[in-house]
Amino acid sequence: MRISRSSLLILAAFMIPVVVEFRTLLLMFGIDVSIEAAVAASVAAVAAVTLWAVIPARGDHDGAETA
Amino acid sequence: MSTYVERFPAEAKVIRSAFYVSFVSLAIGALMGLLQTLHRTGMFEVFSEPGTYYTVLTTHGVFLVIAFTIWFLVGVFVWAVTTSLDRGVESLRFTWSWYGLMSLGTALAGIAILAGFVDDWPIVGDVSADVLFTFYAPLQAHPMFYLGLAIFIVGTWVAGVDWFRSWWVWKQENPDERIPLPTFMVLTTMLMWYIATLGVAVAVLAFLLPWSLGLLETVNPLLTRTLFWFFGHPVVYFWLMPAYMMWYLLLPKISGGRLFSDPLARVVFILFLILSVPTGIHHQYLDPGISEGFKFIAMTNTMFLLLPSLLTAFTVVASMEHGARQRGGEGHFGWLKALPWGNPAFTGMALAGLMFAAGGFSGMINAGMNINYLVHNSFWVPGHFHLTVGTAVALTFMASTYWFLPQLTGRKLFSRPLALVQVVLWFVGMTFMSNAMHRAGLLGIPRRTAEPWYDGFEFEAGVGSVGELNAQIALGGTLLTLSVAIFLVVVIGTALNGKSSEIETSVIPEPLSGPEDSPLVLDNLKLWTVIAVVLVVLAYTLPLASIIDRGGLLGPGGRAFPMSLDSLVVLAQLATEGALPR
Ligand code: HEM
Ligand SMILES: [Cu+2]
């Protein structure tokens, strides 16, 4: 893991308000994102961060973490 | 070094007992919160009779902001005074006596409220107190409610005497020492509380209680409102100052550092003592019968109150940064990574502080006289105070419980990961609920309404839809309730956990800039109290005089709304038919 599990949890929590209100922000510019798309985008964003956190950084060849 | 319970076993028991009452109140209040959320967003029809909503809302408000908060903070104050003076309470019997008074008061007021869920009791008949946590006229409760409230407040006064007494005896033995910071915080908070509660004492004892007993025919509603808000604004600092105290004392310690500045902390608490009370009229910007000039003075004082909060933000973040750098953190922002995010006490308090910043911003909007008209009594307002009292205070109290419980029981915290999930869940749930409440308020959706939908009229969202705001509120409320449930599991699990010898010491490290850097005048409590009283006299004499002059002490007359509900329905019908000015 690149960051600890608790850091990952908190990072994911911080992304929620950003994603929720990003949709509102886009709407103000007339870009209409459907709720389904917004939910999908937020799931994707959290998944991406989780993946980034779980895949070991280059040079981190400590097999115990990746097993 | 030792834990608190080893050093002060008898006091630890008092604190635990206070905390447990607090947590039971939290559980009851949170359950009501869930019911409200689901009903008023139209997710579930929880109440077949919408009137029940007001019994639920009163239970929610009173159990959370009077019982949960105040029971918790008296426990914290016992801890603060005894550890910082390093002496037990002067007389345990005296301490238990205020505990008893507060319990009696809680029981009487609580029973009066909960009795409202049943329409007709054998022998006593109709008992209810659906007056909301603001309990001013013309809403009228059963006398038992006011009596309980009065006894509860007297209990807190006696508790204050207990802490002043400890300090006094300590001072005789240590004449040349500065008041230790935690005790200083307790004493300034209590001085503020004594001034603030005068308003509610007069309102309850002189008007509301005799009125509900039938001794007075009528009361002056504007007068009881004004007296309520005389107390109703400073009470928020009674909740907040203990939360600040946790941020000043525990956050730096848990971050691995020391408080940045003792003098700044003292200045902040003095500013709260001085400025908390002469601001209450900012809740009455829309009350007819108080002239604009007085409202303007209240607004000015309110804006000054931002200062201590900004000072706190600076000091607390500086202390955390110091701690993070002690732990090896580097860079402009890189130090953030070195903070102990895995520690639920730390993470909970840090998230609470962050949400408080958001609450502060929406609070500034409430405080502005003209812009207040836009959001007054709308759903925006609960959106605001669920960030302040509902998170900055409530989440700080829950998070600090994770530090306190092992200190008070000698037992290990039950499941740190679960506790971490709990505080993060609160943050997520509150983000959804409060953000959507703010936005719903901007559309004009009212607060304190069971079913905010009307024939032939629809609220229109500029962006998004009302339906999705409701969904966010319901989702947020559900996550919050889940979070409270997890909190209770951790508390009960800890109480049943085995004894542990690895609990850290309860000693609070010395500040970087200590009391020796504080000007002596800061400890002159008499001076600050006098200034506080003078400001209150200046802010309130003329408005109160003009209210009494116009309406009379006992009001221009008019009908009470005993237990309120039927008459409220009539009133609502009149209003929708346009018979009343809106
Ligand atoms: C489980 C978490 C919670 C939920 C779901 C929740 C939900 C709500 C809702 C929906 C309202 C607005 C009702 C209306 O105006 O019609 C409300 C009001 C209120 N809440 Fe909460 N809340 C929660 C936690 C808290 C906490 C922790 C506090 C304070 C410590 C708090 C204090 C209040 C107060 C004072 C009111 C206003 C009552 C009134 O208007 O008289 N709530 N809550
Ligand atoms: Cu206020």
Side-chain angles (χ1 to χ4, degrees), chain B residues 5-24:
Chain B
V5 61
E6 285 166 341
R7 176 81 181 83
F8 299 110
E11 286 79 3
K13 186 166 175 205
V14 176
I15 303 175
R16 281 198 312 268
S17 311
F19 278 10
Y20 291 146
V21 181
S22 165
F23 299 155
V24 170

Side-chain angles (χ1 to χ4, degrees), chain A residues 3-7 9-10 12-18 20-21 23-25 27-28 35, chain B residues 337 341-343 347 351 354 417 420-421 424 427-428 431-432 435 439 463-465 468 472:
Chain A
I3 51 175
S4 68
R5 268 197 283 174
S6 45
S7 307
L9 181 69
I10 288 151
F14 276 132
M15 291 173 64
I16 290 172
V18 175
V20 169
E21 282 310 288
R23 175 166 174 270
T24 315
L25 192 72
L27 272 166
M28 287 184 184
I35 299 188
Chain B
K337 281 191 294 196
W341 294 106
N343 183 335
T347 303
L351 292 177
L354 193 71
L420 190 67
V421 168
V424 173
F427 175 79
V428 175
T431 302
F432 277 117
N435 176 47
R439 285 178 54 197
V463 158
S465 69
E468 59 193 71
Q472 284 182 29

Side-chain angles (χ1 to χ4, degrees), chain B residues 36-37 40 53 60 64 133 385-386 447-449 480:
Chain B
Q36 281 156 217
T37 310
R40 65 162 288 154
Y53 189 76
H60 181 73
L64 285 171
F133 85 105
F385 63 64
H386 281 89
R447 67 182 284 206
R448 291 181 158 176
T449 303
L480 287 169

Side-chain angles (χ1 to χ4, degrees), chain B residues 40 378 440-446 449 451-461 466 470 575-577 582:
Chain B
R40 65 162 288 154
S378 76
L442 290 180
L443 311 182
I445 298 181
T449 303
E451 295 173 0
W453 41 83
Y454 308 92
D455 279 343
F457 172 78
E458 294 225 10
F459 291 105
E460 237 176 89
V466 173
N470 277 336
T576 44
E577 284 159 21
R582 266 190 288 170

Side-chain angles (χ1 to χ4, degrees), chain B residues 503-557:
Chain B
I503 298 163
E504 60 169 322
T505 149
S506 67
V507 175
I508 304 291
E510 294 288 316
L512 287 173
S513 162
E516 63 285 356
D517 298 332
S518 297
L520 258 179
V521 63
L522 291 180
D523 284 15
N524 189 341
L525 295 178
K526 266 195 213 122
L527 171 69
W528 303 116
T529 310
V530 169
I531 294 180
V533 171
V534 169
L535 284 179
V536 171
V537 170
L538 285 181
Y540 268 104
T541 315
L542 290 177
L544 283 176
S546 85
I547 289 169
I548 295 168
D549 189 42
R550 186 141 2 100
L553 260 187
L554 298 178

Side-chain angles (χ1 to χ4, degrees), chain B residues 4 7-8 78-87 182-183 506 508:
Chain B
Y4 184 81
R7 176 81 181 83
F8 299 110
V78 173
W79 167 81
V81 170
T82 47
T83 41
S84 68
L85 300 181
D86 200 23
R87 60 186 301 134
T183 300
S506 67
I508 304 291

Side-chain angles (χ1 to χ4, degrees), chain B residues 112-168:
Chain B
I113 296 171
L114 295 174
F117 283 110
V118 175
D119 278 339
D120 224 344
W121 290 90
I123 307 166
V124 286
D126 191 1
V127 177
S128 77
D130 300 334
V131 288
L132 306 177
F133 85 105
T134 41
F135 60 82
Y136 34 61
L139 298 185
Q140 193 182 54
H142 191 274
M144 188 160 71
F145 173 78
Y146 301 115
L147 192 66
L149 210 62
I151 295 177
F152 180 80
I153 288 179
V154 170
T156 61
W157 288 350
V158 179
V161 171
D162 200 4
W163 302 320
F164 269 96
R165 186 174 162 198
S166 282
W167 166 63
W168 193 252

